[in-house]
Amino acid sequence: AADAGFSQTSGQAAVEMSKSIREMREAEVAAPAEAGVVAIQGRTMVQTPEGDWQDAEFDAAKDEALAITFGSDTYFRLLRLYPNALPFAQLGEKVVFTLGERFVAIGVKGEDMDDAALSAALGAK
C-alpha cells in the first residue's frame, strides 16, 4: 500500500518536473538561430554574412577582443574557468562575445594562456 502511494506521488511529480524542464528549455532560446539573431544571457548575438556570430555591440574597428583559438587548450580553459561562456561557444567555431567587461573572439588564431594569464586577461569571474 505504501508503494502504491509513492508511485502516484512520483508519477505526478515526474509529470510536473517534465513540464518544468520543457518550459526552461523553451525559455533558454529567445529566437531560433536560423533567424540570424539569438539572445544569450541578455546579449544580442547576430550572425554575419560569413556565418560567424558576434555580439551586436561589437565593432571591429574600435573594440579589441581577446583572441582564443577554437579547440585549443586555452579554449577549454576558458570554458572551465568561465562556464557562462559555454552558451556563446556553442554557437560555432567563430564567435565574438562579451565576457564581463571584455570581448572574447573565438576563432582560427588566438592566445595561448595558462589559467592565471587567462584570469588576469578577463578579470574576476
Side-chain angles (χ1 to χ4, degrees):
D3 288 340
F6 180 74
S7 296
Q8 289 175 347
T9 303
S10 301
Q12 181 62 31
V15 168
E16 293 302 318
M17 183 177 290
S18 176
K19 287 179 184 177
S20 295
I21 290 170
R22 184 176 56 240
E23 288 171 4
M24 285 188 288
R25 283 186 183 148
E26 291 170 357
E28 287 178 15
V29 179
E34 296 79 32
V37 177
V38 67
I40 299 176
Q41 297 174 5
R43 305 297 299 181
T44 301
M45 301 295 292
V46 295
Q47 195 167 29
T48 67
E50 297 80 24
D52 306 335
W53 288 90
Q54 70 180 34
D55 188 299
E57 294 183 18
F58 179 73
D59 181 351
K62 66 175 184 124
D63 294 323
E64 184 180 335
L66 174 64
I68 296 179
T69 306
F70 175 78
S72 67
D73 289 342
T74 303
Y75 172 83
F76 290 106
R77 279 187 192 98
L78 172 76
L79 299 180
R80 180 175 47 81
L81 292 172
Y82 300 89
N84 54 330
L86 183 60
F88 298 101
Q90 290 175 329
L91 290 174
E93 296 180 18
K94 289 186 175 182
V95 182
V96 179
F97 61 97
T98 304
L99 189 59
E101 299 295 318
R102 184 103 194 251
F103 285 108
V104 174
I106 295 173
V108 178
K109 295 180 183 178
E111 303 283 334
D112 183 24
M113 299 184 210
D114 61 15
D115 286 7
L118 187 59
S119 292
L122 293 172
K125 294 181 225 176

